[in-house]
C-alpha cells in the first residue's frame, strides 16, 4: 500500500474528516484549511570560523480566534513550510481540546542544531526573532520549545524580544528557565500529561497499570519524562530509544540511570542489563503500552501490523500514518491521538503565561495538580465524544478541536 502523503496532506485530510462529521459550513472549512499568516525569512549569521551561514526560518500562524497564536519552534534540517503549516494546524486543535485560550502556530529553522556551537545557535535564535518580532508578542504569538530547542533557546528569545522593545517581557515566550519567569514543571509537562492520558485510558479499558510494560520511542525531553512518570504510577519501562538505537530489558529499566548513561556516552545503547535493539524493533516490542515520542511517520503500514501493544499514546506530533491508524484501529488497539496525548506541554505553557501576566509564581505541586485536572478533563471530553459518535479517539479529538474553533468563528463573525 503506497503512503504518499505529507504532513500537510494528512492534516488537511483530518480537517476534512472533522468538517464532514460536524457538517461544517464550507466557508469555515476553507478558512481553516489555510493559515492566517505564513512567514519565511532568511537568517544570516556569522559562524565561528568567520564564514556566513544562511538558514531558512519559518513561522506559520494558523488561526487565532480563541486567543493569541501559540506553538513551539523546532530546529530541524529539511523542515518545510508545508510541514510547519501542518504542525500549526495541529496546535490550533490541540489548544482547543485542552480548552486554553490560544490559537495555533508553529515555527521552524532549517538547521542541524548539532552542527552549530552554542554561540552560533544563540546568534541564529536572536536573528530569527529579530526578523519576525513584529508578529510576536504576549497577546499576538507566543513561542515555546519543540524539537531541538529548549529553555536556553527560550531565554534568548525572551531577551531578544525584550531588548527590541526596551523593557523585559517574560510573557512573550514560554518554556523559559525558572530564573527568568519559567514555570515549575514545564519541562516535564508533556511527558507527565501523556501518562495522565494513559491512566485515564487504562481505567476505561480495564488495563491494569501495576507492572504494565511500556516501550518508549525517543528519549528526549518528552520520552524521558514520560518514562519517569510511567514508573511513578507503577508501570515497567521495558524499552527506550534515541536516534542512535534502542535498548530493551523485559524486567524493566530505570530511566534516570539510562539518562545518566546517555549523558556520559552520547547514546542509550550498551546500557547495563539491557540488550541493544533497533528503533524498528522497539515499536514491535512485546509491551502493553507503546509511546512514540520521537517524530512523525514512525508507525506506518509497514510495521502497524506487527505492533503488539494494547494502547498507543502519541507523545510525538503525527507519529502514525493514516493507513497505520486504520490498521491499529482494526486490530482493536486503543490510540490516544497526539493533539490530546501531548497537550500537557502547551497546557503548562499556558500556566506559565498566566503566572507571568499576573507576576505570580506557583509551586510545582500547584502546577502538577492543575495539569492533572486539565488533562483528565480533556481526555474525558474526547472519550465521551468518541463513545457518543462510536468513533476512534482521533476522530473525536478532531471533532472537538475543529468544532470549538469553528464555533468561535461563528460567534465572532467576519470583519468588516
Ligand atoms: N511544542 C509543543 C507542542 O507541540 C509545545 C507548544 C507550546 O507550549 O506552546 O505542543
Amino acid at each position: 500500500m503506497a503512503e504518499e502523503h505529507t504532513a500537510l496532506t494528512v492534516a488537511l485530510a483530518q480537517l476534512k474528516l472533522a468538517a464532514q462529521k460536524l457538517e461544517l459550513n464550507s466557508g469555515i472549512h476553507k478558512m481553516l484549511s489555510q493559515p492566517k499568516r505564513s512567514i519565511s525569512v532568511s537568517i544570516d549569521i556569522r559562524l565561528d570560523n568567520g564564514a556566513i551561514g544562511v538558514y531558512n526560518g519559518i513561522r506559520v500562524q494558523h488561526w487565532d480566534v480563541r486567543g493569541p497564536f501559540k506553538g513551539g519552534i523546532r530546529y530541524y534540517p529539511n523542515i518545510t513550510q508545508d510541514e510547519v503549516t501542518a504542525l500549526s494546524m495541529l496546535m490550533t486543535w490541540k489548544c482547543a481540546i485542552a480548552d486554553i485560550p490560544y490559537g495555533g502556530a508553529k515555527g521552524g529553522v532549517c538547521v542541524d542544531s548539532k552542527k552549530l556551537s552554542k554561540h552560533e545557535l544563540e546568534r541564529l535564535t536572536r536573528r530569527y526573532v529579530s526578523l519576525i518580532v513584529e508578529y510576536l508578542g504576549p497577546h499576538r504569538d507566543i513561542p515555546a520549545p519543540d524539537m531541538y530547542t529548549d529553555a536556553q533557546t527560550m531565554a534568548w528569545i525572551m531577551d531578544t524580544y525584550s531588548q527590541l522593545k526596551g523593557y523585559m517581557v517574560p510573557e512573550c515566550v514560554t518554556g523559559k528557565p525558572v530564573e527568568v519567569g519559567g514555570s515549575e514543571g514545564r519541562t516535564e509537562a508533556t511527558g507527565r500529561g501523556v501518562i495522565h492520558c494513559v491512566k485515564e485510558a487504562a481505567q476505561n479499558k480495564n488495563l491494569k497499570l501495576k507492572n504494565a510494560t511500556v516501550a518508549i520511542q525517543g528519549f528526549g525531553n518528552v520520552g524521558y519524562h514520560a518514562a519517569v512518570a510511567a514508573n511513578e504510577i507503577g508501570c515497567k519501562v521495558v524499552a527506550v530509544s534515541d536516534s542512535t538505537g534502542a535498548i530493551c530489558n523485559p524486567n524493566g529499566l530505570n530511566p534516570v540511570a539510562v539518562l545518566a548513561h546517555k549523558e556520559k556516552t552520547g547514546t542509550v545503547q550498551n546500557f547495563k542489563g539491557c540488550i541493544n535493539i533497533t528503533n524498528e524493533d522497539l515499536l514491535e516490542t512485546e509491551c502493553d503500552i507503546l509511546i512514540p515520542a520521537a517524530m512523525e511517520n514512525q508507525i506506518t503500514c509497514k510495521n502497524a501490523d506487527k505492533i503488539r501493544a494494547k494502547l498507543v499514546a502519541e507523545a510525538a506530533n503525527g507519529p502514525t500514518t493514516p493507513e497505520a491508524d486504520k490498521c491499529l484501529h482494526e486490530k482493536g488497539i486503543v490510540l490516544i491521538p497526539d493533539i490530546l496525548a501531548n497537550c500537557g506541554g502547551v497546557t503548562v505553557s499556558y500556566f506559565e503565561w498566566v503566572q507571568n501576566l499576573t507576576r505570580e509564581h506557583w509551586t510545582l505541586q500547584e502546577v502538577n495538580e492543575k495539569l492533572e485536572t486539565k488533562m483528565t478533563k480533556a481526555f474525558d471530553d474526547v472519550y465521551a465524544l468518541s463513545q457518543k459518535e462510536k468513533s476512534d479517539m482521533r476522530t473525536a479529538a478532531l471533532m472537538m478541536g475543529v468544532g470549538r474553533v469553528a464555533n468561535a468563528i461563528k460567534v465572532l463573525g467576519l470583519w468588516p
Side-chain angles (χ1 to χ4, degrees):
M1 210 192 307
E3 288 181 290
E4 284 170 11
H5 36 243
T6 63
L8 186 55
T9 56
V10 173
L12 289 172
Q14 290 178 344
L15 171 61
K16 192 169 165 192
L17 172 71
Q20 277 163 355
K21 293 257 178 200
L22 293 164
E23 296 178 16
L24 203 66
N25 170 295
S26 63
I28 293 181
H29 180 190
K30 211 163 164 184
M31 279 171 77
L32 293 175
S33 305
Q34 16 213 33
K36 189 166 173 184
R37 187 177 287 118
S38 194
I39 309 162
S40 171
V41 293
S42 176
I43 310 171
D44 314 322
I45 59 159
R46 182 73 61 196
L47 299 173
D48 291 346
N49 66 7
I52 293 173
V54 178
Y55 304 90
N56 179 221
I58 300 164
R59 183 75 179 169
V60 178
Q61 300 176 327
H62 180 239
W63 273 98
D64 62 347
V65 278
R66 289 175 43 90
F69 296 108
K70 184 87 192 79
I73 292 174
R74 61 172 59 178
Y75 288 174
Y76 204 72
N78 308 325
I79 189 136
T80 63
Q81 198 88 18
D82 273 9
E83 192 178 340
V84 179
T85 303
L87 291 164
S88 74
M89 289 175 78
L90 293 188
M91 283 309 301
T92 308
W93 320 142
K94 195 186 295 185
C95 293
I97 291 165
D99 205 9
I100 51 179
Y102 291 135
K106 199 75 164 200
V109 177
C110 216
V111 63
D112 184 350
S113 62
K114 287 181 191 156
K115 292 205 176 121
L116 294 193
S117 71
K118 191 170 173 187
H119 283 123
E120 288 168 335
L121 281 173
E122 177 173 353
R123 289 197 287 277
L124 178 91
T125 304
R126 290 183 181 277
R127 182 88 176 191
Y128 171 52
V129 172
S130 78
L131 288 161
I132 58 172
V133 70
E134 61 198 292
Y135 301 105
L136 300 179
H139 302 290
R140 266 192 203 136
D141 182 354
I142 308 133
D146 200 85
M147 278 166 68
Y148 296 105
T149 57
D150 57 14
Q152 175 61 76
T153 325
M154 301 307 118
W156 292 327
I157 293 178
M158 170 182 157
D159 190 59
T160 308
Y161 182 90
S162 301
Q163 295 304 329
L164 291 171
K165 292 284 159 193
Y167 52 92
M168 295 315 281
V169 192
E171 57 273 26
C172 75
V173 63
T174 60
K176 304 175 289 290
V178 173
E179 291 85 339
V180 288
S183 178
E184 304 292 340
R186 173 61 185 86
T187 313
E188 309 91 293
T190 312
R192 287 188 79 86
V194 171
I195 301 303
H196 287 314
C197 283
V198 165
K199 232 166 41 188
E200 289 300 298
Q203 215 170 48
N204 289 324
K205 297 288 167 199
N206 276 330
L207 175 72
K208 254 193 39 225
L209 285 176
K210 183 104 195 81
N211 288 327
T213 50
V214 184
I216 304 179
Q217 186 197 40
F219 207 61
N221 178 43
V222 178
Y224 169 70
H225 287 292
V228 172
N231 256 3
E232 270 175 32
I233 59 165
C235 296
K236 206 160 66 175
V237 179
V238 292
V240 297
S241 75
D242 62 16
S243 57
T244 64
I247 51 171
C248 171
N249 181 348
N251 298 319
L253 49 84
N254 175 353
V256 180
V258 175
L259 183 67
H261 167 80
K262 180 177 160 72
E263 275 168 357
K264 213 162 82 199
T265 64
T267 168
V268 295
Q269 288 218 304
N270 309 316
F271 181 68
K272 210 171 60 251
C274 287
I275 53 163
N276 288 338
I277 56 172
T278 64
N279 251 297
E280 292 79 51
D281 296 337
L282 177 131
L283 295 172
E284 298 162 20
T285 298
E286 172 88 61
C287 64
D288 297 310
I289 301 160
L290 174 65
I291 304 183
M295 53 187 302
E296 294 103 271
N297 296 339
Q298 297 301 298
I299 305 178
T300 67
C301 62
K302 290 204 186 80
N303 58 15
D305 207 31
K306 298 185 202 123
I307 284 174
R308 293 191 267 176
K310 300 183 183 83
L311 182 70
V312 175
E314 293 186 328
N317 290 314
T320 315
T321 65
E323 286 81 359
D325 219 357
K326 232 173 98 212
C327 177
L328 296 182
H329 188 63
E330 278 161 16
K331 283 174 62 152
I333 297 175
V334 178
L335 183 138
I336 311 171
D338 46 7
I339 47 178
L340 169 63
N342 71 29
C343 75
V346 72
T347 297
V348 176
S349 273
Y350 163 64
F351 296 159
E352 180 171 327
W353 181 71
V354 170
Q355 291 171 75
N356 294 157
L357 288 170
T358 55
R359 300 295 185 256
E360 277 191 34
H361 189 78
W362 303 346
T363 64
L364 179 60
Q365 194 188 344
E366 258 177 291
V367 171
N368 281 342
E369 280 170 13
K370 286 188 162 76
L371 173 65
E372 181 162 11
T373 308
K374 275 280 195 199
M375 291 304 302
T376 308
K377 170 90 171 68
F379 183 95
D380 292 349
D381 285 353
V382 171
Y383 187 74
L385 187 61
S386 76
Q387 297 291 99
K388 187 171 149 234
E389 293 289 325
K390 300 194 178 13
S391 74
D392 58 279
M393 293 235 279
R394 192 186 311 279
T395 307
L398 285 164
M399 284 176 72
M400 176 151 297
V402 174
R404 285 180 177 168
V405 176
N407 286 342
I409 294 179
K410 278 185 213 151
V411 292
L412 287 172
L414 270 184
W415 183 87

